[in-house]
Amino acid sequence: MRRPDRRPARHRPAALTAAAALAGALALAGCSGSGSGAGAKADLSVSGPYMPQPVAADMAAGFLTITNKGGAADELTGVTSTDAGQVTMHSTTGGAMREQSSFAIPAHGQLVFKSGGNHLMFEKLKRRPRQGQTVTVKLTFAKSGPLTVEMPVKSATYNPTTGH
């Protein structure tokens, strides 16, 4: 005799299969994050951008800090400017400068470009930026959308820790 509150045996395997498939899909969705939890992403912002007024007519340096308040790392993969034929990224270690194709930006961390360290090189300048002007820079990242930054041109001897 069959109890009225139970489905016939032939319907249980399909229901169990559907439930198992749904549970599996939900488990896989939980694994798709970057190791910092599902849905974690970078939250990037830029502070302190500046370019010392170039002493050469065709080349200049640039500095800024990229802060990541997000739960996932990202990577700076490129820099462009309409004021330069090319912008390259460099690291400086032990006095030796080396061009880099990218820089990591850790989750809840910073990437700092400063005098004597990591820096941007503006090459083949289309105009010689003067103190008081700005240079527009577009930063490209591996995961996040691009950021456009207005970089003020400061005096050639500007030091952000002293303000001049």
Side-chain angles (χ1 to χ4, degrees):
M1 177 165 142
R2 197 176 82 185
R3 295 191 323 209
D5 61 335
R6 297 195 58 181
R7 291 185 181 146
R10 68 181 183 274
H11 293 288
R12 274 186 270 145
L16 290 174
T17 301
L22 178 61
L26 291 172
L28 286 175
C31 296
S32 65
S34 64
S36 303
K41 61 180 184 174
D43 180 10
L44 306 176
S45 62
V46 175
S47 61
Y50 74 98
M51 172 189 282
Q53 182 173 306
V55 292
D58 63 343
M59 188 176 287
F63 308 102
L64 52 84
T65 298
I66 302 171
T67 300
N68 183 358
K69 293 182 181 175
D74 205 338
E75 192 174 356
L76 178 64
T77 57
V79 182
T80 58
S81 174
T82 57
D83 291 310
Q86 166 178 315
V87 183
T88 55
M89 302 179 287
H90 294 88
S91 62
T92 304
T93 308
M97 184 174 76
R98 190 173 128 202
E99 188 173 335
Q100 301 288 322
S101 60
S102 65
F103 280 94
I105 308 166
H108 306 291
Q110 291 184 324
L111 170 59
V112 178
F113 289 93
K114 64 181 183 176
S115 183
N118 299 337
H119 61 279
L120 304 176
M121 288 300 301
F122 293 79
E123 301 169 30
K124 302 175 188 164
L125 289 173
K126 296 176 182 175
R127 67 176 175 97
R128 189 171 181 178
R130 303 271 182 220
Q131 184 176 344
Q133 296 178 332
T134 60
V135 173
T136 303
V137 178
K138 182 178 175 184
L139 307 173
T140 308
F141 303 93
K143 298 175 186 170
S144 301
L147 291 176
T148 300
V149 177
E150 292 297 321
M151 183 174 278
V153 180
K154 304 288 189 171
S155 73
T157 59
Y158 176 76
N159 182 341
T161 58
T162 63
H164 39 89

